[in-house]
Amino acid sequence: MTVPATVARIEREAADALAGAANVEELRGVVTMVLGKRSPIVRVHRELGALDPDARRTVGKQLHDTRERLEALAAERLEALAGAARAARLEADRLDLTEVGAVVSSMSRGHLHLVDQTRRALEDVFVGMGFEVEEGPETETDWYNFVALNIPLAHPARSMWDTFFLDVGEPETVLLRTHTSPVQIRLMERHAPPFHAVMPGRTFRRETRDASHLAVFHQLEGLVVDHGITFADLAGTVETFANAYFGPDIHTRLRPGYFPFTEPSAEVDVTCTICRGEGCRTCSHTGWLELAGCGMVDPAVFDAVGIDAEEWTGFAFGFGIDRCAQMRHQLADLRLLDENDVRFLRQF
Ligand code: PHE
């Protein structure tokens, strides 16, 4: 074999070896082998002296070009292998968020509690009738919860509400509100009439829990004060509300009642939502369920907040949000609403 042919074969083999290196480390070994001091092209170079001058020049140039091509090939392979190594490292470091996504979407997402859903649905009905939504604090003073509502200290009517008093200030002056009626007072103190507002919120009574009572429950208070408001407006509002929230076949009736802050006062009954008025155990075979208290705002309440009772009249009502949820969804036991059993909560 001629020397040029040998050099050509050396180049082919060297190029194959460079191309075959699987990673950067292997490539470095191959480079030493094909271009290093003991490599075939260096060996041929050492033997150049034995050739005649013409052949020496030709082969010398061939060796030079071969080395340049092999060096370029080695550089190209190094870059490719280093790039691949970098990509592999990045891939290994990557956080596989698709897995997290899969776990999250297989966990069921939370949703509003039935009581919150009910509160919002009730608010929607009243907002649709032109009412505004107001809120007040859950901790109240004796003045807002009782006195301004025409229930002076030691008035026997206070026993209508078993109260949680807080150990703050003078004894029995700070309490957890027993109803949402104090929000009426706060609203009327702050603004001038007219008012068309509903006031939802959490309320507290020192009571033993049972199937139809909770110690911590929710009420929705209503207050309308304007010129010429009559009891007929109250009756119409309550009926419109019941039709909108419970359905067109559910009606209301008003029975005489007593509240210190309304005169006259009434209890609102609605058609039993279990038997739709036929009579069943839940409604004690009357066809009616008690839902709310209501009445015309007592002039003494207007006096307490400085509103002229000669000019303005109004009505108020207050009903249980939890009770509404119970009636609409036919819950056998109100306690389901605060026990946080997901098997129950998931159904709504
Ligand atoms: N606050 C009364 C209660 O909790 C309900 C009510 C509100 C009655 C407004 C009349 C007017 O029992």
Side-chain angles (χ1 to χ4, degrees), residues 40-298:
I41 52 172
V42 169
R43 209 176 55 232
V44 174
H45 201 273
R46 272 196 214 109
E47 289 159 6
L48 280 181
L51 300 176
D52 62 66
D54 262 0
R56 199 188 301 156
R57 212 176 303 117
T58 318
V59 174
K61 170 135 180 37
Q62 189 190 8
L63 284 174
H64 175 77
D65 294 348
T66 298
R67 172 174 284 276
E68 279 203 335
R69 281 193 295 272
L70 290 176
E71 279 173 355
L73 183 61
E76 192 182 294
R77 288 292 298 149
L78 180 65
E79 196 171 299
L81 290 171
R86 206 163 41 240
R89 227 172 17 249
L90 283 179
E91 181 63 26
D93 285 353
R94 206 173 112 220
L95 291 177
D96 185 357
L97 297 175
T98 57
E99 196 171 315
V100 178
V103 173
V104 168
S105 67
S106 74
M107 296 191 302
S108 60
R109 280 221 222 143
H111 59 71
L112 286 182
H113 188 280
L114 176 58
V115 172
D116 287 312
Q117 292 181 39
T118 306
R119 177 176 54 75
R120 291 188 181 198
L122 296 171
E123 284 175 12
D124 282 351
V125 170
F126 283 103
V127 167
M129 289 196 260
F131 286 64
E132 289 182 60
V133 180
E134 295 286 339
E135 277 181 285
E138 293 176 353
T139 305
E140 272 298 7
T141 60
D142 167 72
W143 160 262
Y144 286 104
N145 196 82
F146 292 124
V147 179
L149 288 163
N150 197 30
I151 318 168
L153 201 62
H155 190 283
R158 286 204 179 196
S159 64
M160 288 170 75
W161 298 275
D162 290 304
T163 310
F164 284 116
F165 288 100
L166 300 181
D167 197 3
V168 174
E170 293 291 299
E172 305 205 346
T173 54
V174 181
L175 47 85
L176 296 177
R177 65 180 177 192
T178 59
H179 49 183
T180 41
S181 299
V183 191
Q184 288 185 39
I185 302 300
R186 289 182 176 273
L187 183 63
M188 291 193 283
E189 254 185 3
R190 258 197 341 265
H191 303 283
F195 300 105
H196 306 82
V198 286
M199 296 148 269
R202 199 147 59 136
T203 46
F204 309 82
R205 287 189 199 169
R206 226 180 67 210
E207 272 190 302
T208 307
R209 295 149 57 75
D210 64 28
S212 48
H213 296 89
L214 298 175
V216 179
F217 58 108
H218 303 79
Q219 284 191 333
L220 185 120
E221 191 84 10
L223 177 70
V224 171
V225 177
D226 210 331
H227 290 119
I229 296 292
T230 69
F231 200 86
D233 297 311
L234 168 57
T237 302
V238 165
E239 175 74 12
T240 306
F241 155 74
N243 294 163
Y245 182 70
F246 293 109
D249 57 331
I250 299 294
H251 299 288
T252 52
R253 71 175 186 186
L254 298 170
R255 277 183 295 114
Y258 171 72
F259 296 99
F261 32 91
T262 46
E263 180 60 32
S265 300
E267 305 277 355
V268 183
D269 291 342
V270 299
T271 313
C272 175
T273 50
I274 307 286
C275 61
R276 304 262 144 187
E278 294 293 310
C280 67
R281 264 185 41 219
T282 304
C283 61
S284 312
H285 303 282
T286 61
W288 296 96
L289 292 172
E290 195 179 312
L291 179 71
C294 66
M296 301 306 290
V297 179
D298 195 295

